[in-house]
Every structure is written in C-alpha cells, then in structure tokens.
Amino acid sequence: MRHIWLQALLLSLGAAVSLGITRFAYGLLLPAMRADLAWSYTLAGGMNTANALGYFVGALMTPKLLARWGASTVLVVGAFLSSIFMALSGFFIETDPLLLQRFLAGVASALVFIAGGLLAARLGAQAPSRSGFLIGLYYGGTGFGIALSAVLVPWALDASSTQLHGWRWVWWLLALVCLLASAALVIPARAMARFTVPTTQAGTGAPVHFRWRAFGYALAGYTLFGVGYIGYMTFVVALLREQGSSAVEVTVFYALLGLAVVASSRIWAGLLDRHRSGRALAILNGLLGVATILPALTQSWSVVLGSGLLFGGVFLSVVASTTALVRHNLPHAAWAAGISAFTIVFAAGQIIGPTVVGWIADGPGGLARGLVYSALALWLGAVLAWRQPAL
C-alpha cells in the first residue's frame, strides 16, 4: 500500500499541472492582466473559454491517443506541452495570440487530466478497498497547484510590478513549476506503463463500448457542473478585489481553497465508494452551489472564507465522483472511454460558463449576479444527477 500511495501522490502532480496551475492560476492573474490590457469582463472570461475549448478538443483526441500510445506516454507528453504553452503566454500582449495560447494549453491539459485519471483508476483497482481515496488523491492534486499558485502569483506580481507588463514574469515562473512537476511525472508513468490493460470483456472476447444514453442524467449533471464551477474559479478573486479584499486576504483565501481540495480526497472517499448511482455527483453539486452563491450574498470575510473552504473541499471530488461512477458501472476495458466521455461534457460546460458569467458581470449586478447564475446551474445539475441510476 505504501508503494501504491506514493505512485498516487506522484500522479497527482498531473492534476496539479493540468488544472491547478494551467487552468486556475489564471484567476489570480486576471485582475492584473485586465487592468493592464483594458479588458472587459467578457473578454477576460473569454480567455478561460478558449482554454475550455482547447480542453474540449483535447478530450475528443485523447481516446485515440490513448489507444495508440498508452496512458503513460500521453500523460508525460501532455504535461510537458502544458508547460511550454504556459511559458508562451508570457510573450504576448495582443488578444489573439493570448487566446491561442490558452486554447493550446487547454488541449494539452486535457491529455494530462484524462490520462492521469485513467492511471489513477487502474491504481485504485490494485487496492479496491482504498480505490475511492486513491482516485480522490489524484484529483486532489489540483489543490497542490492552486495552493502553490496562491503563494507564488501575488509574490511574483509584486516583485515584477515595476516592469512593463510585469504579469508576463508570472507566466514564466508558473511554466518552470510545471516543467519540474512534469519531470517528476515520469517516475509513476514508467512504473505504470508495465500494467496489463484488458481490451475486451472478460470471457467473451468482444470489445466493450461506453453507452452515452445509459449515463445520460449523470452526463447532463456533469455538464452543468462545468458551466457552474468555472465561473467561480475564473472570477472569485476579481470579485474579492472589487469588494476591497487585500492581497494578503486573497492569498489566504486561495491557498486555503487549494488545501481544502487536497483534504477532499479523504473527506469524500467513503461517499465515492458507497454510491454506484449518481447520488454522490448530485450531493456534491448541491454543496458546490451553496459555496458559489455565498460571496454574491455577503461581503462578510468569515462567510467568504467559508465559501472558499467549502468550494475547495467539494469541487474536485465532483470530478472524482464521475471516475468512481465509471469504475463502479463499467468493466475495466471501458474505463478510458467512460472517463473521456465525462471529460468531453465537462469541457463543453466550461466553454459556456466563463463568457456567459463575464457577459452578465459587464451588466447591472456585476460579478455577484454572475455567481448567482453559476450556483443555479450547479443546483440544476444536482437535480439531474440524482436521477442517474446504477447500471
């Protein structure tokens, strides 16, 4: 078990790169980039929409890449590509190339996230009694990336404040961190490349296919999760700054959110192991809606901090719940197709969320009204996921 836990911990660096840094560090950079480049909230949200569109394209590509090269190779190559595209974002100030870099980083991060999730599911199969915890530990690695970004980004922004377009140095620093994490990913990738992966239904010799209709309610609920959660992660720092929070308070808020993500793997492991239906996805979506709406209702620091802790303690476990749902209801040979399907609808939801919330924020009510929209999407997703039966 000690060896398995170590492999899971190293694998979690993939989630740290693909989401914790490549996706979510942008929320910390958004206020500085928006002020420097005179962006509207719609355009600022569009940057994460471009990232999500790339993620969607990457999710469509990944099943074929997995079949051709295997999960270990896709994981490592995707991680290094993510690092390169992060670095390139520091070389441009024009909108079009920045949108392109965010798109390409999204493509690469999808390769990492899906391949890493598949390897985590396979690792969980080595210890069935601990599978929920091991899967959650992988996704909880996103929290390492978020917490590290919360510390590095404000410090780097302050250190480069006298430089023209000083935020560029932050992209380069984050790219260096991603490169180091990518190098560490080589260790579990090599070890797990030796795993034997079945390609047919045991005893039949026939290939196994993922049936989208059978998972319809869960897929719909997960799509709305993508719509709702990304609005919070894109704009909550900007909202806090608008409400007068200091740089130290923002750092504390984001770092605690990240640490809560790490802890979530332990908190919800039993829930993921217990439910074979969409109940886990529904419960977590509902809690996430509560966390999302709180900063829109009050500026009380204690309530806002509680929102961040609850959000961090839940949102990556929503992702883990879909991997657990696939693992509970499909044979091993269909796991890659199942995880890819959920990632595709997740990416589709993320394409919609940032731009719509940004458009709402540019109107009356501002960012607070945008977060209300996000919370409603999450609650509707919870209702749909509740209807997903076990197969």
Side-chain angles (χ1 to χ4, degrees), residues 232-382:
Y232 185 97
M233 289 300 294
T234 301
F235 291 111
V236 69
V237 170
L239 177 62
L240 294 181
R241 297 310 296 263
E242 278 191 0
Q243 293 177 346
S245 296
S246 66
V248 173
E249 288 174 328
V250 169
T251 297
V252 170
F253 172 88
Y254 218 65
L256 289 177
L257 187 155
L259 293 176
V261 172
V262 177
S264 67
S265 61
R266 185 68 176 177
I267 296 170
W268 303 110
L271 181 72
L272 303 191
D273 285 334
R274 188 164 57 250
H275 290 289
R276 298 175 60 88
S277 67
R279 294 287 177 89
L281 174 59
I283 292 168
L284 295 172
N285 252 4
L287 288 172
L288 205 61
V290 174
T292 298
I293 204 169
L294 288 177
L297 300 179
T298 178
Q299 297 184 27
S300 168
W301 174 242
S302 59
V303 175
V304 170
L305 195 61
S307 162
L309 285 169
L310 178 59
F311 192 96
V314 171
F315 90 100
L316 256 298
S317 291
V318 179
V319 182
S321 74
T322 62
T323 301
L325 186 67
V326 166
R327 183 178 55 81
H328 282 312
N329 290 281
L330 291 175
H332 193 293
W335 286 0
I339 293 171
S340 294
F342 275 99
T343 304
I344 288 168
V345 299
F346 174 55
Q350 291 179 122
I351 292 170
I352 300 168
T355 300
V356 171
V357 173
W359 174 73
I360 293 172
D362 282 328
L367 286 171
R369 181 170 293 182
L371 291 189
V372 171
Y373 156 84
S374 296
L376 292 174
L378 288 163
W379 286 329
L380 179 57

Side-chain angles (χ1 to χ4, degrees), residues 91-118:
F91 288 98
F92 302 98
I93 60 172
E94 297 83 8
T95 298
D96 289 344
L98 283 172
L99 285 169
L100 177 61
Q101 297 307 323
R102 293 301 289 161
F103 171 84
L104 293 174
V107 173
S109 65
L111 307 185
V112 179
F113 202 64
I114 297 173
L118 177 59

Side-chain angles (χ1 to χ4, degrees), residues 19-43:
L19 288 189
I21 299 177
T22 305
R23 170 73 56 76
F24 297 135
Y26 170 69
L28 290 162
L29 280 157
L30 185 152
M33 294 182 70
R34 180 173 177 265
D36 182 38
L37 303 176
W39 288 348
S40 66
Y41 278 124
T42 303
L43 178 55

Side-chain angles (χ1 to χ4, degrees), residues 17-301:
V17 169
S18 62
L19 288 189
I21 299 177
T22 305
R23 170 73 56 76
F24 297 135
Y26 170 69
L28 290 162
L29 280 157
L30 185 152
M33 294 182 70
R34 180 173 177 265
D36 182 38
L37 303 176
W39 288 348
S40 66
Y41 278 124
T42 303
L43 178 55
M47 289 291 163
N48 252 4
T49 289
N51 186 260
L53 181 60
Y55 195 90
F56 179 76
V57 172
L60 292 175
M61 295 167 49
T62 301
K64 290 185 178 180
L65 293 176
L66 290 173
R68 176 68 179 84
W69 300 106
S72 293
T73 300
V74 172
L75 173 71
V76 173
V77 172
F80 278 106
L81 286 176
S82 293
S83 306
I84 292 169
F85 294 136
M86 286 284 286
L88 289 176
S89 294
F91 288 98
F92 302 98
I93 60 172
E94 297 83 8
T95 298
D96 289 344
L98 283 172
L99 285 169
L100 177 61
Q101 297 307 323
R102 293 301 289 161
F103 171 84
L104 293 174
V107 173
S109 65
L111 307 185
V112 179
F113 202 64
I114 297 173
L118 177 59
L119 289 175
R122 291 176 183 169
L123 198 61
Q126 306 298 308
S129 64
R130 299 280 184 155
S131 59
F133 174 71
L134 292 170
I135 292 171
L137 183 61
Y138 167 72
Y139 290 115
T142 303
F144 291 126
I146 292 173
L148 188 60
S149 298
V151 174
L152 291 179
V153 172
W155 170 79
L157 284 173
D158 183 63
S160 61
S161 60
T162 58
Q163 302 289 322
L164 181 65
H165 311 307
W167 48 265
R168 297 181 301 171
W169 291 92
V170 184
W171 285 111
W172 295 329
L173 175 62
L174 293 173
L176 176 60
V177 173
C178 288
L179 278 172
L180 294 174
S182 300
L185 277 171
V186 174
I187 299 172
R190 281 181 175 175
M192 298 188 69
R194 297 190 293 267
F195 281 26
T196 301
V197 182
T199 57
T200 61
Q201 179 94 39
T204 67
V208 181
H209 300 287
F210 176 82
R211 293 179 295 120
W212 285 66
R213 181 174 295 182
F215 288 87
Y217 284 115
L219 289 165
Y222 197 49
T223 303
L224 288 168
F225 162 71
V227 172
Y229 101 93
I230 193 61
Y232 185 97
M233 289 300 294
T234 301
F235 291 111
V236 69
V237 170
L239 177 62
L240 294 181
R241 297 310 296 263
E242 278 191 0
Q243 293 177 346
S245 296
S246 66
V248 173
E249 288 174 328
V250 169
T251 297
V252 170
F253 172 88
Y254 218 65
L256 289 177
L257 187 155
L259 293 176
V261 172
V262 177
S264 67
S265 61
R266 185 68 176 177
I267 296 170
W268 303 110
L271 181 72
L272 303 191
D273 285 334
R274 188 164 57 250
H275 290 289
R276 298 175 60 88
S277 67
R279 294 287 177 89
L281 174 59
I283 292 168
L284 295 172
N285 252 4
L287 288 172
L288 205 61
V290 174
T292 298
I293 204 169
L294 288 177
L297 300 179
T298 178
Q299 297 184 27
S300 168
W301 174 242

